[in-house]
Amino acid sequence: QVQLVESGGGLVQPGGSLRLSCVASRIIFSNYEMGWYRQAPGKQRELVATITNGEATNYADSVKGRSTISRDNAKNTVYLQMNSLKPEDTAVYYCKATRWSISLGTQSYWGQGTQVTVSS
């Protein structure tokens, strides 16, 4: 059974930083595009950042310039470094693994999420 386990969330003051980690198991990690998404109370889940298996990155405008997504294929881990955090960054952050193949179509898996709260 595929598992994605996020960690690194917590309470941080505005202007602070956090580094989220997501460790994947039971997938060939290097074959997957990895992404971070977030969901605030009463809002839809939204894209934060993605990184392909070729390490091309994409960011939501709301976090561009403040966040960096990276991956370590040897550790089956994707990271999200978030700086200059704002109260509006408060949300549950989810890790997602996505892969497309001709035989199986799109396969995607989600983690259970980690809470990030930005407050003074």
Side-chain angles (χ1 to χ4, degrees):
Q1 185 175 347
V2 175
Q3 279 193 315
L4 300 177
V5 180
E6 300 98 333
S7 62
L11 174 63
V12 63
Q13 291 188 342
S17 298
L18 279 177
R19 187 195 197 202
L20 306 183
S21 300
C22 170
V23 180
S25 59
R26 299 183 181 89
I27 59 171
I28 302 175
F29 184 79
S30 59
N31 287 349
Y32 282 75
E33 174 178 290
M34 300 301 298
W36 287 97
Y37 293 73
R38 67 186 182 187
Q39 187 166 19
K43 294 189 176 181
Q44 289 189 329
R45 193 172 296 189
E46 63 178 7
L47 168 75
V48 177
T50 59
I51 183 167
T52 69
N53 53 3
E55 303 206 15
T57 58
N58 179 53
Y59 296 92
D61 288 343
S62 58
V63 304
K64 201 172 292 183
R66 300 189 295 120
S67 298
T68 302
I69 187 171
S70 60
R71 65 191 295 161
D72 185 339
N73 289 342
K75 295 182 179 180
N76 283 9
T77 302
V78 61
Y79 305 97
L80 183 68
Q81 176 69 44
M82 298 188 295
N83 303 320
S84 302
L85 283 162
K86 306 174 182 179
E88 50 263 44
D89 294 317
T90 296
V92 178
Y93 283 70
Y94 296 91
C95 174
K96 182 182 181 183
T98 306
R99 176 177 179 261
W100 183 88
S101 65
I102 293 175
S103 57
L104 296 175
T106 300
Q107 295 173 282
S108 60
Y109 305 96
W110 290 93
Q112 83 289 348
T114 186
Q115 176 70 47
V116 172
T117 302
V118 184
S119 175
S120 55

